[in-house]
Amino acid sequence: MSANIDFKNLWKQQKAEQPELSDLMLLLRSYKNQGLKRLVLTNVLLVMTMVGLVLIWYYFQPQLITTKIGLITTILAMLIFVLAYNTLFKYYKSASEFESNSAYLKNLITIKRKQKFMQTTMLRLYFILLSLGVCLYLYEYVKLMPTVVGLLVYALTLAWLAFNWFYLRPKTIKKQEKKLDILIKKFEMINRQLDELDELNA
């Protein structure tokens, strides 16, 4: 029954010490806007990078097949990731447009599930393809360098990828999960309150 109750009206009947609905909705809208901005920024950066890689191929005309495979693999990694990431758009877009608390909660849980998929499966695939692509692309140019310099270039490249994977990725994931978990817990609290009201009114 609680799924059909207008929780905005019921919220006004709750105790004064509980968070105001306006604050909760403001928090939800803030999360929605941040998610949309992050999605748009990711799209812009990855599309610009893919265009840049295509231009590099066109203007510099790599000779080795490894370089061409490296470019294709890198572009493919970015394309797969951005297409998968864009599936979150409709959930972010509708994050503050529902009428019932259960709809808000369901949407947030869906975002969390899809976000988890992006942070694990898709991001892992992205880093594997990206690392392979970059290493293959560098080979044509590294082999023209002195051995020590070439090894240093590969070492620095792999170190940068490792830094992103082992430090920046977990830090970003933790930050995103914390904000989403706060919202989910607040809406779960409202659900419990509505269930209690249902029992009292039954």
Side-chain angles (χ1 to χ4, degrees), residues 143-201:
K143 75 170 194 166
L144 301 175
M145 305 174 185
T147 303
V148 174
V149 177
L151 290 174
L152 181 62
V153 168
Y154 267 119
L156 290 174
T157 301
L158 293 175
W160 172 247
L161 291 169
F163 174 74
N164 279 273
W165 179 259
F166 292 109
Y167 178 75
L168 293 182
R169 182 187 64 90
K171 189 174 181 180
T172 302
I173 289 174
K174 186 176 180 181
K175 184 178 179 181
Q176 291 176 354
E177 287 182 342
K178 183 178 179 181
K179 291 181 179 179
L180 188 53
D181 286 342
I182 289 173
L183 281 169
I184 289 174
K185 286 179 182 177
K186 287 182 181 294
F187 280 104
E188 285 176 338
M189 180 185 72
I190 295 173
N191 257 352
R192 286 194 296 270
Q193 292 171 348
L194 293 180
D195 287 339
E196 291 172 2
L197 285 173
D198 281 348
E199 291 175 3
L200 290 173
N201 295 329

Side-chain angles (χ1 to χ4, degrees), residues 48-62 71 75:
M48 287 177 62
T49 303
M50 285 187 283
V51 170
L53 291 173
V54 171
L55 291 175
I56 287 173
W57 190 336
Y58 178 78
Y59 284 108
F60 292 96
Q61 293 293 313
L71 285 168
I75 292 172

